[in-house]
Amino acid sequence: MMNGGEQGRGSIDPRGASLATDDDELPLPASPPRSRLAWCITGSGHFLEESLALAERLPSVDLFLSAAAEEVLPIYKLHIEALKSRFRVFRDKTASGVPVGMLYDDIYHTVVVAPATSNTVAKCAFGISDSLPTNMFAQAGKLGIPGIVFACDTEPVVVTRSPHDWVTLRPRRIELDNVERLRGIDFCQVVSSPAELEAVLDARMKELSLAWNTSSS
């Protein structure tokens, strides 16, 4: 993992100014300290649309997509180009997780992983960082930046929407144990439903004296 905080140091504030969301785009303008929220998307479709609807109601949100997320989004008729009209979008295209360097530049006040696959939950719970979302989560924790994870497999029976229908899943003991282990990770709050995610985000917004883009009721 490269130390993005060493990039662009000089007399000009480097926060976000040297990084483009894609290779063919212009570098982003500089951002004030702790002014943005990083929202990470994994390969889960569990309440994916509801999660993105919440993200859209928050101010100054950047999306960080795993490679799996890029595959899953269009299956749910969610396309990256459309997301770019509402968010700054960063993609998992570098082995060293270059966008993670913006955490070192003090841009983000909160990191959200929603929804999080059981695979991502397991990696976060055991300190494995091999994707953009898991790197963001781990480095945020090391910097004392609060993380919020909407875990998919949190109950003995989970009803979720596939691309074509609703399905019933029965998480194994190992998935449930990994969720509990994740709850013990420093600077991490685990939620298990869109309503709980909204409530935790609302509390975080109040801590920061920020307002939703629309009513949070």
Side-chain angles (χ1 to χ4, degrees):
M1 174 61 224
M2 70 181 296
N3 189 336
E6 295 301 319
Q7 292 181 309
R9 293 297 184 192
S11 58
I12 298 175
D13 187 340
R15 285 182 274 264
S18 63
L19 188 64
T21 56
D22 269 320
D23 293 338
D24 58 350
E25 296 181 2
L26 295 174
L28 298 171
S31 300
R34 298 285 174 118
S35 62
R36 305 188 67 81
L37 184 147
W39 193 291
C40 305
I41 300 178
T42 69
S44 173
H46 185 62
F47 289 111
L48 175 58
E49 293 180 50
E50 292 83 352
S51 296
L52 282 170
L54 280 174
E56 192 170 357
R57 289 170 50 202
L58 295 165
S60 304
V61 175
D62 294 345
L63 296 185
F64 292 78
L65 310 182
S66 70
E70 290 204 43
E71 294 178 355
V72 168
L73 283 166
I75 295 175
Y76 285 85
K77 297 181 171 56
L78 297 164
H79 300 284
I80 292 176
E81 290 306 313
L83 292 174
K84 285 182 178 180
S85 68
R86 294 174 278 165
F87 308 99
R88 303 195 314 191
V89 177
F90 297 93
R91 301 161 76 178
D92 202 349
K93 301 195 297 182
T94 61
S96 60
V98 170
V100 180
M102 289 188 291
L103 287 171
Y104 306 142
D105 289 332
D106 206 31
I107 291 176
Y108 298 105
H109 55 72
T110 311
V111 171
V112 176
V113 185
T117 62
S118 58
N119 185 47
T120 295
V121 167
K123 290 178 179 179
C124 290
F126 284 90
I128 298 171
S129 306
D130 64 356
S131 68
L132 189 51
T134 54
N135 259 303
M136 289 291 292
F137 175 81
Q139 297 303 319
K142 293 176 185 180
L143 292 166
I145 298 172
I148 302 167
V149 180
F150 176 18
C152 296
D153 297 329
T154 58
E155 303 290 341
V157 177
V158 175
V159 179
T160 189
R161 186 170 60 222
S162 75
H164 309 295
D165 203 355
W166 288 89
V167 296
T168 299
L169 303 176
R170 291 174 173 79
R172 301 167 298 173
R173 172 52 54 189
I174 190 169
E175 277 98 29
L176 299 175
D177 287 347
N178 286 339
V179 170
E180 290 309 307
R181 183 180 181 89
L182 184 60
R183 293 186 194 278
I185 297 294
D186 296 341
F187 303 104
C188 174
Q189 200 163 359
V190 178
V191 300
S192 57
S193 70
E196 190 178 358
L197 176 59
E198 181 176 6
V200 170
L201 286 169
D202 188 58
R204 180 62 177 151
M205 295 283 282
K206 288 175 180 175
E207 286 178 6
L208 298 168
S209 299
L210 295 173
W212 294 82
N213 290 333
T214 58
S215 172
S216 60
S217 60

